[in-house]
Amino acid sequence: MQMELVYSGLRPFQWSWIGYLAGCILLSTLKKKKIWVTAGVGLVLAALLLHTMGLALRVLILERPPVSNMYESMVYMNWAAMVLAVLFALGTRHIVYLTAGSAVSALVMIYGDLLPIDSNLEVLVPVLRSNYWLTIHVMTIVSSYGAFGLAMALGHRHLIAEIRKRSSKAAQEESALLIYHVIQVGVLLLGIGTVLGGVWANESWGRFWGWDPKETWALITFLGYLVV
């Protein structure tokens, strides 16, 4: 109960999207000044720390992974997108990952606050009461959404640069390659998560595949990205 009071008073997800938005503005508008770039990176990392703290508190309070409803999935998806953005930024030395990741995370979390969806700490329905499968299947699938969300943000940036005609052919090719690498990660996570979902379905209902809407659209999404 004490932890729940701390969580409610802290409002970690609200403060995190404010940090993401402020960091994104600094990184995208003042990127030629090192001091502001440093401040922007600091804001994004501080927001990610708050974001992580909020998810950790939900896990400790509810004693389950934080991916059981629409609100939690949106919050976790953005966390996965930001973790991937940080990892790609560290690996490639491209700050654009942080700019794109913080932009999409801020927008989706603002949208989550505005939507009439339940953000309460609630008990799972019986069919979902499996921390094992919630961890290895649902978190894998939702992490793929985070990768694709990051790719979407990078894609929009690429299109804007194309429209404004302010980037060279080499810069455009590099930008396309950045997007491609993120999509590769997303496809890998989505493929693994879809197969794990079939294994869970077989354990719960005695069949691996039943062509229900979730399974069908997971397959369509996987095949669509696989074409790319």
Side-chain angles (χ1 to χ4, degrees):
M1 190 176 289
Q2 188 62 40
M3 262 192 290
E4 191 169 342
L5 289 171
V6 170
Y7 170 80
S8 298
L10 186 61
R11 293 182 298 169
F13 301 133
Q14 183 176 346
W15 286 110
S16 64
W17 72 248
I18 291 171
Y20 288 143
L21 186 60
C24 176
I25 291 169
L26 289 179
L27 291 174
S28 56
T29 60
L30 300 169
K31 56 187 174 184
K32 293 182 180 179
K33 296 182 179 179
K34 189 174 180 180
I35 187 169
W36 291 115
V37 171
T38 303
V41 171
L43 278 169
V44 170
L45 293 178
L48 179 58
L49 182 63
L50 273 171
H51 199 158
T52 305
M53 190 185 303
L55 285 172
L57 282 170
R58 286 188 81 102
V59 170
L60 291 171
I61 293 164
L62 296 169
E63 298 180 344
R64 60 166 174 77
V67 284
S68 70
N69 57 34
M70 182 67 172
Y71 178 78
E72 288 184 345
S73 295
M74 290 172 75
V75 170
Y76 179 77
M77 179 197 81
N78 287 321
W79 181 83
M82 286 309 304
V83 169
L84 287 171
V86 170
L87 291 176
F88 273 109
L90 288 172
T92 62
R93 302 294 178 184
H94 280 290
I95 205 76
V96 64
Y97 285 111
L98 291 184
T99 308
S102 56
V104 74
S105 292
L107 288 173
V108 173
M109 291 178 81
I110 291 168
Y111 189 53
D113 282 344
L114 294 175
L115 282 175
I117 55 177
D118 192 4
S119 61
N120 293 327
L121 300 161
E122 55 189 29
V123 178
L124 285 175
V125 295
V127 73
L128 293 177
R129 286 179 192 166
S130 171
N131 282 352
Y132 175 75
W133 285 112
L134 277 174
T135 301
I136 70 166
H137 163 59
V138 183
M139 291 180 77
T140 303
I141 283 283
V142 180
S143 294
S144 76
Y145 303 162
F148 292 137
L150 178 59
M152 178 196 70
L154 290 165
H156 277 74
R157 171 188 171 275
H158 185 93
L159 289 174
I160 291 167
E162 289 265 351
I163 292 166
R164 296 174 71 185
K165 306 290 184 184
R166 289 193 177 181
S167 56
S168 64
K169 185 172 179 61
Q172 290 172 1
E173 289 177 354
E174 184 182 42
S175 174
L177 190 62
L178 298 180
I179 299 166
Y180 184 62
H181 288 325
V182 178
I183 290 176
Q184 285 179 312
V185 174
V187 167
L188 181 65
L189 291 169
L190 183 61
I192 293 170
T194 302
V195 172
L196 288 172
V199 176
W200 188 7
N202 187 58
E203 184 180 286
S204 298
W205 300 308
R207 54 109 179 122
F208 180 82
W209 196 266
W211 297 103
D212 68 44
K214 273 192 177 183
E215 293 170 339
T216 304
W217 279 100
L219 179 61
I220 290 169
T221 306
F222 174 71
L223 294 175
Y225 277 109
L226 203 60
V227 170
V228 177

